[in-house]
Amino acid sequence: ETGVTQTPRHLVMGMTNKKSLKCEQHLGHNAMYWYKQSAKKPLELMFVYSLEERVENNSVPSRFSPECPNSSHLFLHLHTLQPEDSALYLCASSLNFRDTDTQYFGPGTRLTVL
Amino acid sequence: QKEVEQNSGPLSVPEGAIASLNCTYSDRGSQSFFWYRQYSGKSPELIMFIYSNGDKEDGRFTAQLNKASQYVSLLIRDSQPSDSATYLCAVTGDSGYSTLTFGKGTMLLVSP
């Protein structure tokens, strides 16, 4: 596998379920990101991890819980979601967390909350 | 609230023409600017980045930055039907960190 991978690619869950999204990067990067992309809205940054430490949390509801066990893996744990949380969730990574570092995106997980 | 504005389009151009995509941003301290291309149902992929005022060329693509006007553009020369996609403008702040604010994107349609 190369680049940034995400699993699962599609997920349908009920509002009472608990699920996790997984992201893995094979680029040797030190920063990883979670974004949400909803229809008709710009990409929204959710969380940033730099060297496995959370450095950004953009007022995301607590029903979304990130985890970064090492610099190659990033998880987004989901529980008691709402239908409006249905969206494409994108993971990205960059060499470091500097503004000149390009972010590379994974293929995304299409989440549907029933 | 940092904002990045793009015309949603669609911008329709014939094959072989120049497509011009524009973006304005609100944070005067923004330092780095990125253009991503996103095909329908796919994730964004980097086209170009630019940090300094002026033009930057890469193949058929030219990025133009004017920090005084808070304006960044992407020109696509010799447009191809395969260029049909949504183009996202992304801007960092003045913190020195890679915290991107994205525009909603401009849909480009290149007709054969």
Side-chain angles (χ1 to χ4, degrees), chain B residues 14-83:
Chain B
E15 183 174 357
I18 295 175
S20 177
L21 304 162
N22 304 315
C23 171
T24 59
Y25 57 95
S26 64
D27 185 355
R28 185 167 289 278
S30 294
Q31 295 294 322
S32 302
F33 307 84
F34 301 82
W35 283 100
Y36 285 86
R37 177 175 63 198
Q38 187 172 25
Y39 292 111
S40 180
K42 302 294 185 181
S43 63
E45 57 178 325
L46 180 74
I47 297 295
M48 290 192 70
F49 58 84
I50 186 167
Y51 309 137
S52 304
N53 277 329
D55 295 0
K56 178 181 179 183
E57 187 174 319
D58 183 1
R60 297 188 295 115
F61 300 95
T62 299
Q64 299 175 317
L65 175 61
N66 184 326
K67 288 186 178 180
S69 300
Q70 295 175 239
Y71 174 90
V72 58
S73 66
L74 179 70
L75 300 178
I76 306 175
R77 290 181 299 282
D78 188 24
S79 296
Q80 301 297 308
S82 58
D83 294 327

Side-chain angles (χ1 to χ4, degrees), chain A residues 9-25:
Chain A
R9 296 293 306 277
H10 300 273
L11 178 62
V12 179
M13 59 186 290
M15 289 191 284
T16 58
N17 291 158
K18 290 184 181 181
K19 296 287 184 183
S20 295
L21 309 184
K22 178 183 176 182
C23 174
E24 184 173 0
Q25 58 92 5

Side-chain angles (χ1 to χ4, degrees), chain A residues 9 33 35 37 40-43 45 56 88 90 94 96-108 110, chain B residues 31-32 34 36 38 41-46 49 51 88 92-104:
Chain A
R9 296 293 306 277
Y33 310 76
Y35 286 89
Q37 188 173 35
K40 308 296 185 186
K41 296 177 76 173
L43 267 81
L45 179 64
E56 191 92 13
L88 180 67
L90 290 160
S94 62
N96 291 300
F97 187 41
R98 296 173 307 204
D99 59 3
T100 53
D101 291 322
T102 299
Q103 293 183 28
Y104 296 91
F105 286 85
R110 174 69 61 184
Chain B
Q31 295 294 322
S32 302
F34 301 82
Y36 285 86
Q38 187 172 25
K42 302 294 185 181
S43 63
E45 57 178 325
L46 180 74
F49 58 84
Y51 309 137
L88 307 176
T92 64
D94 60 357
S95 65
Y97 296 117
S98 181
T99 306
L100 291 176
T101 300
F102 280 83
K104 291 183 179 180

Side-chain angles (χ1 to χ4, degrees), chain A residues 7-102:
Chain A
T7 55
R9 296 293 306 277
H10 300 273
L11 178 62
V12 179
M13 59 186 290
M15 289 191 284
T16 58
N17 291 158
K18 290 184 181 181
K19 296 287 184 183
S20 295
L21 309 184
K22 178 183 176 182
C23 174
E24 184 173 0
Q25 58 92 5
H26 309 268
L27 301 168
H29 288 172
N30 295 308
M32 297 187 77
Y33 310 76
W34 280 117
Y35 286 89
K36 176 184 180 182
Q37 188 173 35
S38 305
K40 308 296 185 186
K41 296 177 76 173
L43 267 81
E44 302 171 61
L45 179 64
M46 300 175 71
F47 302 103
V48 182
Y49 278 82
S50 176
L51 296 171
E52 300 152 45
E53 183 177 329
R54 191 190 309 181
V55 295
E56 191 92 13
N57 176 346
N58 269 2
S59 303
V60 179
S62 60
R63 58 185 183 269
F64 296 91
S65 175
E67 178 189 2
C68 186
N70 55 62
S71 60
S72 298
H73 294 87
L74 185 64
F75 295 89
L76 188 63
H77 304 300
L78 316 171
H79 63 97
T80 59
L81 294 190
Q82 305 298 310
E84 60 264 29
D85 296 322
S86 299
L88 180 67
Y89 288 84
L90 290 160
C91 174
S93 72
S94 62
L95 181 59
N96 291 300
F97 187 41
R98 296 173 307 204
D99 59 3
T100 53
D101 291 322
T102 299

